[in-house]
Amino acid sequence: SPVFVDNVINCLEMFPMPEKEKLQSMAKFIPVPGEASSSLDHEQLRKNYGSVWTSLVTCNFNVDQYKRTLIMLNEKVIPLLPRPVLLTDFLLGCFSVGGAISMLALSGVFTLMTKYNLDYPDFYKKLYELFRVEIFHVKYRARFFHLSDLFLASTHLPEAMVASFVKRLARISLQAPAECLPICIRFIHNLIHRHRGLEVMIDAPADKASDLTTDPFLASEPDPSSTKALESSLWEIKTLTSHLLPEVSSAAKDLIEKGIREQEKDISGVLENTVSDFMDIEMKKK
């Protein structure tokens, strides 16, 4: 029942796994008569802890329970489990829930891939699915871009695939609220900084792709390796150079006219931007 699941999650949230040395110095809550030693078995505790989690993830969750469970898994549980890859089916099932749950699920899968050798070739297809206009209108937007930056940090990812993320973000930025545009532009800058072959998208001739009618980019293609993004240009960012807000237009001009800088740009400072922040900046200029 939902109440039972809530109670189990509450207990797990309050339970800190003790270090082995600290555990051995603790007295047993209920001593076993006739036992000479009162020390607790750390390995057995970890096995029991893992069993609780293995049973818990077979339960039916509501959205809040999914979120609480996934946050715990990502932050403290996975390293404590004897066989973390057993969570793979649960995490992939969570992806279908949508919204913040999907992103948290991918974060867990990413941990299993990078630290526990999980082979999951469709990871970046799943991530690509989440790059939609709706992402700008949800309260977990900052977490989305923070985690996406982490997922796309490797310089060993295929350029054609990364180009698709660059192009998809540029395309949906045309429908994004103004306060989100500095995030988009900095994010695009950093991806190109990691993959210098993508600079051709900035320097492309004007007649190569200047609007939706001439752009070879396959926006509806679900596979980021097959979108023809590298054959396209960043005309969307060029369009933003004429944006009404100076914060946006100057950022777009900086990317289009000055290109890629020596260092990546910090996105943390703009993750939580609001319209009020933009208005305050403009008021201070006056």
Side-chain angles (χ1 to χ4, degrees), residues 57-125:
V57 297
T58 63
C59 298
N60 293 322
F61 291 170
N62 58 37
V63 172
D64 180 64
Q65 290 167 345
Y66 270 122
K67 189 178 297 185
R68 293 167 63 195
T69 301
L70 288 167
I71 288 173
M72 269 196 291
L73 283 173
N74 293 337
E75 293 181 356
K76 68 175 187 178
V77 174
I78 288 178
L80 299 174
L81 300 180
R83 297 179 63 192
V85 290
L86 293 178
L87 294 171
T88 304
D89 289 342
F90 169 72
L91 292 171
L92 296 180
C94 291
F95 182 83
S96 62
V97 176
I101 307 304
S102 296
M103 200 62 190
L104 288 169
L106 279 190
S107 181
V109 173
F110 187 74
T111 299
L112 295 181
M113 288 171 58
T114 54
K115 296 184 178 179
Y116 300 95
N117 300 317
L118 174 69
D119 183 23
Y120 185 59
D122 290 339
F123 178 83
Y124 288 98
K125 286 184 185 178

Side-chain angles (χ1 to χ4, degrees), residues 11-285:
C11 290
L12 290 170
E13 285 175 332
M14 297 175 64
F15 175 74
M17 176 66 74
E19 297 292 333
K20 185 173 183 179
E21 294 75 15
K22 186 176 180 181
L23 180 68
Q24 290 176 341
S25 66
M26 294 179 179
K28 284 186 178 177
F29 182 65
I30 303 178
V32 178
E35 279 196 3
S37 171
S38 61
S39 62
L40 297 169
D41 187 336
H42 191 263
E43 285 304 312
Q44 187 60 49
L45 178 62
R46 286 188 59 168
K47 287 180 182 178
N48 293 343
Y49 185 72
S51 296
V52 171
W53 273 100
T54 302
S55 300
L56 176 64
V57 297
T58 63
C59 298
N60 293 322
F61 291 170
N62 58 37
V63 172
D64 180 64
Q65 290 167 345
Y66 270 122
K67 189 178 297 185
R68 293 167 63 195
T69 301
L70 288 167
I71 288 173
M72 269 196 291
L73 283 173
N74 293 337
E75 293 181 356
K76 68 175 187 178
V77 174
I78 288 178
L80 299 174
L81 300 180
R83 297 179 63 192
V85 290
L86 293 178
L87 294 171
T88 304
D89 289 342
F90 169 72
L91 292 171
L92 296 180
C94 291
F95 182 83
S96 62
V97 176
I101 307 304
S102 296
M103 200 62 190
L104 288 169
L106 279 190
S107 181
V109 173
F110 187 74
T111 299
L112 295 181
M113 288 171 58
T114 54
K115 296 184 178 179
Y116 300 95
N117 300 317
L118 174 69
D119 183 23
Y120 185 59
D122 290 339
F123 178 83
Y124 288 98
K125 286 184 185 178
K126 296 290 188 184
L127 179 61
Y128 191 65
E129 283 181 35
L130 299 180
F131 275 72
R132 298 191 292 258
V133 175
E134 291 80 8
I135 203 66
F136 299 118
H137 303 283
V138 293
K139 61 184 179 180
Y140 66 91
R141 182 182 72 213
R143 180 187 285 270
F144 173 85
F145 279 100
H146 170 73
L147 289 174
S148 295
D149 187 52
L150 176 65
F151 299 157
L152 294 166
S154 174
T155 56
H156 300 293
L157 295 174
E159 279 191 350
M161 186 187 76
V162 179
S164 295
F165 283 93
V166 168
K167 184 64 179 178
R168 172 70 69 88
L169 188 54
R171 178 64 59 84
I172 63 177
S173 70
L174 295 178
Q175 299 173 268
E179 67 270 20
C180 299
L181 295 176
I183 305 173
C184 297
I185 295 169
R186 291 191 187 192
F187 199 94
I188 287 170
H189 172 279
N190 291 350
L191 289 180
I192 298 175
H193 183 278
R194 296 165 194 167
H195 301 270
R196 290 307 181 103
L198 304 186
E199 289 186 75
V200 296
M201 299 175 74
I202 299 176
D203 303 327
D207 60 348
K208 183 177 181 181
S210 57
D211 56 35
L212 289 172
T213 59
T214 59
D215 197 337
F217 174 62
L218 304 176
S220 59
E221 169 58 53
D223 185 352
S225 299
S226 307
T227 64
K228 298 185 178 180
L230 269 176
E231 299 176 25
S232 182
S233 70
L234 292 180
W235 61 264
E236 298 92 344
I237 304 302
K238 190 172 183 179
T239 301
L240 294 179
T241 61
S242 303
H243 198 279
L244 180 64
L245 284 175
E247 283 291 312
V248 175
S249 59
S250 61
K253 287 176 183 175
D254 188 69
L255 178 59
I256 295 299
E257 296 175 5
K258 297 181 181 177
I260 304 304
R261 301 300 179 86
E262 290 185 9
Q263 302 293 328
E264 289 192 14
K265 295 191 174 184
D266 180 23
I267 66 168
S268 61
V270 294
L271 286 177
E272 304 285 356
N273 270 3
T274 63
V275 175
S276 300
D277 294 329
F278 275 28
M279 292 181 67
D280 288 343
I281 291 170
E282 294 306 311
M283 291 296 291
K284 288 176 182 177
K285 289 179 181 179

